[in-house]
Amino acid sequence: MKSRAGIITVILSAVLFTVLFFKQPQGLNLLIFELLYFIWLIAARQISYRNRNMITAVAGFLVTAIFTVITYSVFIYIMNYVALLILVGMLIYPQAKSFINACTLSLSNLFSSQLRFISEFSASGSNVKQTGRKLQRSLIFIIPIIIILIFIALYRSSNPVFDKLIGNIVDPVADALVYIFRNINFRIVGRLIFGLFFSNFRIL
């Protein structure tokens, strides 16, 4: 998989995951998400139709996905996740003769895929690399700024006149930052991060 195409696919999948599952129950949304994943597998030619184990894994994945809508039971959700683990394992190593081996490979991919995403993202283009270099250079100025801010805070606590002067400048900025963070929905951010984690596992 090409780095740029893989990154775009992962990000789109994470956004879709967030839209479908934020404050929404599983079941139909899970079925929609997994059907779209299956369509992507076909379009990307990830499925080997001559591999019996892979076809069995695909069948188990689709059947359990359909039954999540029919039964809405915890058991079928667990079976669906196990089927997904096996399918991803078969996609990683189609020559696997055992579903247990496929599941083991899938579990190892759960964490290694996150490292691959970071690596591919950092190497996806010159703009990303240039941004990384600029961030590294900016670290030279961060430590002196932190030291200055500490001295300002200490001097404010001991000098009421200076405290009032600085407060007229700093307090509006602090209020603006508080307003921004107060209006950020961290549940959406958390769901998006989890969506990235889950999408990396399935795609990369």
Side-chain angles (χ1 to χ4, degrees):
M1 180 186 300
K2 293 182 179 180
S3 175
R4 189 179 298 274
I7 290 171
I8 293 174
T9 304
V10 166
I11 292 174
L12 290 177
S13 176
V15 171
L16 178 63
F17 182 91
T18 304
V19 171
L20 287 175
F21 293 104
F22 180 68
K23 291 185 177 180
Q24 299 295 330
Q26 298 189 55
L28 182 59
N29 288 337
L30 181 62
L31 177 61
I32 293 172
F33 187 75
E34 293 188 342
L35 286 178
L36 290 174
Y37 174 55
F38 177 65
I39 293 171
W40 176 82
L41 288 177
I42 295 175
R45 298 180 180 179
Q46 297 289 313
I47 299 175
S48 175
Y49 298 100
R50 297 181 180 180
N51 189 324
R52 290 185 179 180
N53 286 341
M54 182 173 291
I55 296 300
T56 303
V58 170
F61 174 68
L62 292 177
V63 169
T64 54
I66 293 171
F67 270 90
T68 57
V69 178
I70 297 175
T71 64
Y72 290 96
S73 69
V74 175
F75 174 76
I76 199 64
Y77 286 135
I78 294 174
M79 293 305 297
N80 178 247
Y81 300 147
V82 172
L84 176 61
L85 282 173
I86 294 173
L87 175 59
V88 172
M90 292 301 304
L91 293 171
I92 295 171
Y93 187 64
Q95 293 79 17
K97 302 298 182 181
S98 168
F99 289 143
I100 295 177
N101 291 337
C103 194
T104 302
L105 289 169
S106 185
L107 288 173
S108 66
N109 183 65
L110 185 65
F111 301 99
S112 61
S113 59
Q114 312 309 318
L115 298 177
R116 284 198 302 274
F117 175 76
I118 295 173
S119 176
E120 292 190 12
F121 185 80
S122 63
S124 61
S126 59
N127 290 334
V128 176
K129 293 180 180 179
Q130 290 176 2
T131 302
R133 294 191 188 100
K134 290 178 180 179
L135 288 174
Q136 288 178 351
R137 292 174 182 174
S138 66
L139 291 175
I140 299 174
F141 303 96
I142 291 177
I143 295 177
I145 290 174
I146 292 175
I147 295 174
I148 292 172
L149 290 176
I150 292 173
F151 276 107
I152 289 175
L154 293 173
Y155 195 63
R156 283 188 65 181
S157 63
S158 61
N159 191 320
V161 177
F162 182 76
D163 177 56
K164 184 177 180 180
L165 178 63
I166 293 297
N168 292 332
I169 301 173
V170 175
D171 291 346
V173 177
D175 292 340
L177 291 174
V178 170
Y179 176 80
I180 291 172
F181 281 99
R182 184 183 299 166
N183 289 275
I184 293 176
N185 194 322
F186 287 98
R187 293 183 63 185
I188 293 179
V189 174
R191 181 67 66 175
L192 181 62
I193 293 173
F194 183 78
L196 281 172
F197 185 89
F198 187 63
S199 299
N200 289 333
F201 161 66
R202 294 180 303 108
I203 296 172
L204 292 180

